[in-house]
Amino acid sequence: MALRNIAPIVRLSPIVATVAVIACASSAVEPIPTSTPEEAATPTPPSAVATPEPTGEPTEALPSPVATSTPLPVPPLPEFVEVAVWGQDLSGGVVFARPNGIAVDADGNLYTTEFQGNRVRKFSPDGELLLEWGGSGREPGQFTAPTGIAIGPEGNIFVSESGGNRFQKFTPEGDWLGSFGSIGFTPGSFDSAMVIAVDDSRVYVTDWGNGWVQVFDTEGNFIEKLSTWGMEPGQLFNPTGIKIGPDGNLWVVDRGNHRIQRFTRDGELVSTWGERGDEPGQFIAPTSINFDADGNFYVVEFTGSRVQMFTPDGQLIGEVAPGTFQGPHGLAFDQQGALYVTDTGHDVIRKFEVR
């Protein structure tokens, strides 16, 4: 695969600062075009799964959030100031086609995936476009609706494809190292590989259609699957985001059940938060999760079009830049604490600093 080094330098353009406040209710948001995997019809779960097939949104009451016996004090919401928007300049600058996944490496370089653009892009910390690779297709190094991206040992890049039903591994320069998985309903295959997380020895991939998390080693060998399809605590219904938290546990965005679930890396349920709704602390189609340096976690909602912030024990702190997102999907932090959000419906990546 030929790589394309980008000669022109594209710089970020600061915009008017946006101060985050706690929103008491969500604003109505016009839906974006039906083009992302989350908007597709819910796939039929495999017959091998014993849990009855969900027929739509859960109708049973979801479990109440699990609280610790000594809740942490809730800090004030930080002042998030928007300092840059990538992709807003359509006159020769960077243009995105449904940006989705996002990750930051140890040097502060930013990697993004594009669901419709079928490519990965690499930016320097100051916003220069350094590299891009991909193209539509199923050959090595090509993509079909990439949705997740993570950085593993030695800086290697792992990309999950919801349309390609696999994940691929690359060097930081975009050299292809391998492809793993195929479409299917048995462990080791995928019915839409959504989002990916990597530690020193394992790769964790949420499997949207099969309703579980699949575990591989960093060379792509299948190890095990975690959870089953369903609506009970510990089960998953169209899982999307996944992240290894500061506590070492797996935090999974259980999109179809409109909640966050925390598991040990062996798949044992630790706790769960959230329920369906547009009130503060509730979720409508959450998609991704990430953590700041203090261990607070942030949840992005596709349908809710917002980013909410919680303490490590699940207490709501507030909302980032309320009323300004359109179908966001991914988020990441750099080493200085800046927050990046893929505002998918607006086809931009937004950068916020805490002041």
Side-chain angles (χ1 to χ4, degrees):
M1 174 195 65
L3 304 182
R4 291 181 288 161
N5 287 297
I6 306 303
I9 292 179
V10 181
R11 298 194 178 276
L12 306 180
S13 55
I15 66 172
V16 178
T18 302
V19 179
V21 296
I22 297 179
C24 297
S26 300
S27 302
V29 180
E30 180 182 353
I32 69 172
T34 56
S35 58
T36 63
E38 287 83 355
E39 299 160 82
T42 301
T44 302
S47 58
V49 177
T51 305
E53 175 184 346
T55 57
E57 300 292 352
T59 56
E60 299 180 4
L62 294 176
S64 300
V66 175
T68 62
S69 57
T70 55
L72 298 175
V74 178
L77 181 69
E79 180 184 344
F80 289 94
V81 176
E82 189 163 13
V83 296
V85 180
W86 309 7
Q88 68 173 351
D89 181 9
L90 302 181
S91 60
V94 172
V95 177
F96 292 104
R98 291 298 186 256
N100 198 310
I102 190 167
V104 179
D105 69 14
D107 296 322
N109 296 309
L110 190 70
Y111 292 81
T112 65
T113 60
E114 291 174 61
F115 178 75
Q116 288 186 349
N118 290 309
R119 62 190 166 194
V120 171
R121 279 174 162 166
K122 178 181 180 180
F123 296 87
S124 70
D126 60 356
E128 296 178 2
L129 182 57
L130 303 176
L131 183 70
E132 68 177 55
W133 70 88
S136 300
R138 300 178 184 273
E139 296 299 318
Q142 296 179 327
F143 300 111
T144 303
T147 44
I149 189 166
I151 299 169
E154 302 177 355
N156 291 323
I157 311 301
F158 293 79
V159 180
S160 53
E161 296 174 69
S162 61
N165 301 294
R166 64 180 179 178
F167 67 94
Q168 298 190 69
K169 180 180 177 181
F170 302 88
T171 69
E173 292 74 36
D175 297 317
W176 180 81
L177 296 175
S179 297
F180 313 99
S182 60
I183 188 168
F185 309 103
T186 57
S189 59
F190 296 100
D191 186 12
S192 190
M194 288 298 297
V195 180
I196 193 165
V198 184
D199 63 18
D200 290 339
S201 61
R202 292 190 171 195
V203 178
Y204 304 85
V205 187
T206 53
D207 192 335
W208 163 274
N210 288 318
W212 52 45
V213 174
Q214 304 221 46
V215 186
F216 300 78
D217 66 24
T218 53
E219 298 304 316
N221 300 302
F222 174 77
I223 298 175
E224 62 180 334
K225 71 176 182 69
L226 308 177
S227 191
T228 58
W229 178 288
M231 294 175 281
E232 297 300 318
Q235 295 180 320
L236 300 171
F237 180 7
N238 293 150
T240 52
I242 186 168
K243 194 72 177 177
I244 300 169
D247 57 2
N249 290 314
L250 288 174
W251 296 62
V252 181
V253 178
D254 188 4
R255 181 190 184 277
N257 289 317
H258 309 284
R259 65 188 176 189
I260 306 300
Q261 299 205 73
R262 177 170 52 164
F263 299 87
T264 66
R265 292 195 221 187
D266 294 326
E268 179 182 349
L269 180 65
V270 177
S271 54
T272 181
W273 287 279
E275 60 184 1
R276 191 183 192 283
D278 59 6
E279 295 298 318
Q282 297 178 326
F283 305 113
I284 302 181
T287 56
S288 293
I289 187 170
N290 215 321
F291 298 82
D292 65 17
D294 296 323
N296 302 307
F297 66 92
Y298 296 65
V299 179
V300 172
E301 293 171 72
F302 167 70
T303 301
S305 288
R306 61 183 176 177
V307 178
Q308 297 190 83
M309 176 183 177
F310 299 83
T311 63
D313 62 343
Q315 299 180 82
L316 177 69
I317 298 174
E319 184 179 343
V320 178
T324 65
F325 294 103
Q326 181 90 12
H329 275 76
L331 73 165
F333 290 89
D334 66 16
Q335 290 77 4
Q336 285 70 48
L339 170 63
Y340 300 85
V341 181
T342 55
D343 194 345
T344 307
H346 289 134
D347 281 322
V348 297
I349 294 174
R350 301 169 63 179
K351 179 179 181 179
F352 298 85
E353 292 181 352
V354 178
R355 301 286 174 83

